[in-house]
Amino acid sequence: LYHHIVNDIRNINKNGKKDEKLNRTIQSFFHRIVAASANESTAGAEDSPTDYAAKRAVQMICDLYRRNVWNDERSVHILATAAASPNASVASRALRFFLNIEEAMALDKQNSETNEWEGIDNINLHLHSKKTKGKQ
């Protein structure tokens, strides 16, 4: 379900056609989940369904930011709210995002450029060339 939601949001925002109203609605929903988790949980308590939803929301926002789908201040604000959460796993995911997002994005960019060039090397340019009478 997680991957389907991420792919649906990516497809909605594909090719520079961002649906800002829908993005704002989804981001406000994620912000409400993270804020509810921060208000509900106490330090050291067992994970509730709200805490689990907040962890998945933070993970989804991190993934979408890394893929340059949601790279705006609303996403960063949600993650800043999550970093102040009393739930340790929600806060740690948000802090991990802030600590290594540039490295992860640079690595993704490098991998995509490498894969692009590898695909160009594998093209057979003479696949559909007509053979001359002498070469047959």
Side-chain angles (χ1 to χ4, degrees), residues 101-119:
I101 188 61
E102 286 115 9
E103 294 169 5
M105 290 177 76
L107 185 63
D108 287 346
K109 185 176 180 182
Q110 182 183 10
N111 287 341
S112 67
E113 289 173 355
T114 304
N115 291 341
E116 182 179 312
W117 284 106
E118 286 175 2

Side-chain angles (χ1 to χ4, degrees), residues 92-134:
S92 67
R93 286 183 191 210
L95 291 173
R96 242 181 278 137
F97 165 80
F98 286 118
L99 290 175
N100 69 354
I101 188 61
E102 286 115 9
E103 294 169 5
M105 290 177 76
L107 185 63
D108 287 346
K109 185 176 180 182
Q110 182 183 10
N111 287 341
S112 67
E113 289 173 355
T114 304
N115 291 341
E116 182 179 312
W117 284 106
E118 286 175 2
I120 291 173
D121 291 341
N122 294 334
I123 295 175
N124 184 0
L125 298 175
H126 300 291
L127 182 65
H128 299 289
S129 299
K130 184 177 178 183
K131 304 253 190 289
T132 60
K133 191 174 186 177

Side-chain angles (χ1 to χ4, degrees), residues 31 34 57-59 61-62 65 73-84 90-91 93-95 97-98:
H31 189 268
V34 170
V58 168
Q59 184 177 1
I61 293 168
C62 292
Y65 190 96
E73 69 265 0
R74 283 181 293 202
S75 302
V76 175
H77 180 70
I78 295 168
L79 293 169
T81 304
V90 173
R93 286 183 191 210
L95 291 173
F97 165 80
F98 286 118

Side-chain angles (χ1 to χ4, degrees), residues 37-54:
S37 172
N39 293 335
E40 178 184 295
S41 68
T42 58
E46 201 170 304
D47 283 350
S48 69
T50 308
D51 292 336
Y52 182 75

